Amino acid sequence: LAAQSSFKGKSDRSKYSKAALLCKYITKIRKSYKKDLKSKDVETRQLATATWVIDRLALRVGGEKDTDEEADTVGCCSLRVEHLTFDPNDEGGDNKEIELEFLGKDSMLFKQTIDFGAEMYNQGEGGMGDQVFKNLEGFCKKKKSTEEVFHAINPTLLNAHLKKFMDGLTAKVFRTYNASKTLQEELRRHEESPLWANLTPAEKVVEYNAANREVAILCNHQKSVSKAQETQLEAIGAKLAKLKKQRKELKAIGRKVSAGATDVPLRKSPKSTNAQKIKATEADEAAKQKKRDLAQLKFNKAHLWEKVPTVEQVKKRIVTWQGKIAKMELDLKHKDDNKEVSLGTSKINYMDPRISVAWCKRNEVPIDKVFSKTLRDKFNWAMAVPPDWEFNETIGKEA
């Protein structure tokens, strides 16, 4: 089905509403696994531990075939002892770190060191990190590296256990819930900053992407850095350095002009015939290179005038160049920060789009700055929400 079809739109809306409905049950679920993490029955203890891992670490059940999956995925039920390394840095003592390393969906490497003793995993209703560490340690004890960690349960048992709390509850509903809640909370945290009101729309988008990145990291949405990306980052960096050098030259020109001097660097009027001779459709590589060289030459002299400028003209151009530099610095930061993280996957599949639409409306940021045309068409059903819309239990009632 086309992404923007009416049926697909209803399906998406229902998916996110079901995830929002989890707001109603999440406290009950967390109380349940807190109690069962200490159960003497191994199956009960493993079900509780697996539920905690799904909730807090956003792992998939594993071994199941999801409708969106083309192949079986490694998750809780298919974790083997070899996927866990206890105290990976050999710190000893009461260290409670475990390095998890395995191939997940699309053969993407999941490699994270989790400190189960950290405050973030032991505070609030979803705490119990210390107990989960103790359980995992026990599940791995006296087992071969190829044996399963969760030997007493399987995907069918785990999925049935989840559905006892909420009809239709799956690991994917947990991921969608946690992705949406994380995005909403991160965006609110940024908005509460005392400097928020002074940010430009472009700067606010950088903060939005930072929140999006937290979700992508939570869901392990990684991507490998291509040679093309590295080349692009280098090109932007070189262009940024050139703009800063030009700004410095402009300030020097300003001082000279203010002093009444006329010996300032100028640029010659380009010969139009040079550009006209090179057709964009021409396949000859030499012609393409010549065109690139001309563009570079034009960029190198873009800050200069053909005749001696006035003081006011220099001042205006310095302001223009400062704007260009600020924009390019943001662009470079965005691309560098996100080069190993796929923001699109969580945006397309896991974060309720209504959170982003409401955020854009609250902060007067054009929606096309966070959603491409394809996503605006896909999420057309989400565009009418008010600025104060929130992902919560009330929205879940629509499911």
Side-chain angles (χ1 to χ4, degrees), residues 118-378:
E119 188 176 317
M120 66 179 288
Y121 292 122
N122 288 282
Q123 298 297 314
E125 62 182 17
M128 300 294 284
D130 288 341
Q131 184 63 43
V132 172
F133 176 86
K134 184 179 178 181
N135 288 0
L136 290 172
E137 198 173 37
F139 299 156
C140 294
K141 201 170 184 180
K142 295 181 180 178
K143 284 184 182 177
K144 295 177 183 176
S145 63
T146 54
E147 289 187 77
E148 289 183 344
V149 175
F150 293 94
H151 62 277
I153 63 174
N154 57 42
T156 303
L157 265 175
L158 184 50
N159 281 319
H161 175 70
L162 295 177
K163 288 176 177 61
K164 287 179 184 176
F165 296 107
M166 176 183 137
D167 186 41
L169 181 59
T170 63
K172 185 167 184 177
V173 174
F174 264 110
R175 286 165 69 81
T176 306
Y177 163 82
N178 279 316
S180 297
K181 284 288 284 185
T182 299
L183 178 70
Q184 183 165 271
E185 288 168 4
E186 284 294 309
L187 291 176
R188 286 293 189 187
R189 185 174 65 80
H190 287 301
E191 287 176 277
E192 288 166 5
S193 163
L195 300 175
W196 183 257
N198 300 326
L199 297 185
T200 65
E203 289 169 332
K204 288 178 180 177
V205 171
V206 170
E207 299 304 321
Y208 173 89
N209 288 330
N212 190 170
R213 188 165 58 253
E214 289 300 315
V215 177
I217 291 169
L218 170 74
C219 296
N220 194 46
H221 293 148
Q222 302 178 46
K223 63 182 179 183
S224 53
V225 183
S226 67
K227 184 66 180 172
Q229 278 180 296
E230 290 178 352
T231 303
Q232 185 187 38
L233 285 170
E234 287 172 5
I236 294 173
K239 199 170 183 179
L240 180 60
K242 187 67 178 177
L243 284 173
K244 288 181 176 180
K245 186 178 178 182
Q246 289 174 339
R247 180 180 61 183
K248 186 177 179 181
E249 288 177 13
L250 283 170
K251 289 180 178 179
I253 290 171
R255 288 192 293 271
K256 279 193 171 187
V257 172
S258 295
T262 57
D263 59 330
V264 297
L266 301 173
R267 61 179 164 89
K268 295 177 182 177
S269 179
K271 295 179 181 179
S272 58
T273 52
N274 284 344
Q276 289 169 355
K277 284 178 183 176
I278 303 167
K279 295 179 181 177
T281 55
E282 198 169 352
D284 183 69
E285 184 56 40
K288 288 182 180 178
Q289 185 57 49
K290 192 172 181 183
K291 188 175 182 180
R292 285 194 289 268
D293 291 344
L294 278 172
Q296 185 61 47
L297 186 65
K298 186 178 178 182
F299 174 69
N300 289 345
K301 301 288 184 181
H303 62 305
L304 302 177
W305 291 263
E306 292 178 24
K307 60 181 182 180
V308 179
T310 64
V311 173
E312 194 58 36
Q313 285 174 322
V314 177
K315 284 180 179 178
K316 282 184 179 179
R317 190 152 294 183
I318 289 172
V319 171
T320 300
W321 249 244
Q322 285 172 334
K324 285 175 182 279
I325 289 167
K327 185 177 183 300
M328 195 163 289
E329 282 177 333
L330 284 175
D331 187 37
L332 184 61
K333 183 181 187 304
H334 167 67
K335 284 184 165 60
D336 190 49
D337 285 348
N338 301 316
K339 64 184 178 184
E340 294 179 352
V341 178
S342 174
L343 300 185
T345 307
S346 49
K347 197 180 283 186
I348 294 167
N349 295 313
Y350 292 103
M351 302 185 322
D352 192 318
R354 293 171 290 189
I355 298 169
S356 299
V357 173
W359 178 86
C360 284
K361 290 181 178 180
R362 273 199 312 277
N363 294 288
E364 298 181 340
V365 173
I367 190 67
D368 61 5
K369 298 300 180 185
V370 299
F371 282 166
S372 64
K373 186 179 185 307
T374 302
L375 285 184
R376 294 198 301 276
D377 289 341
K378 174 180 170 65

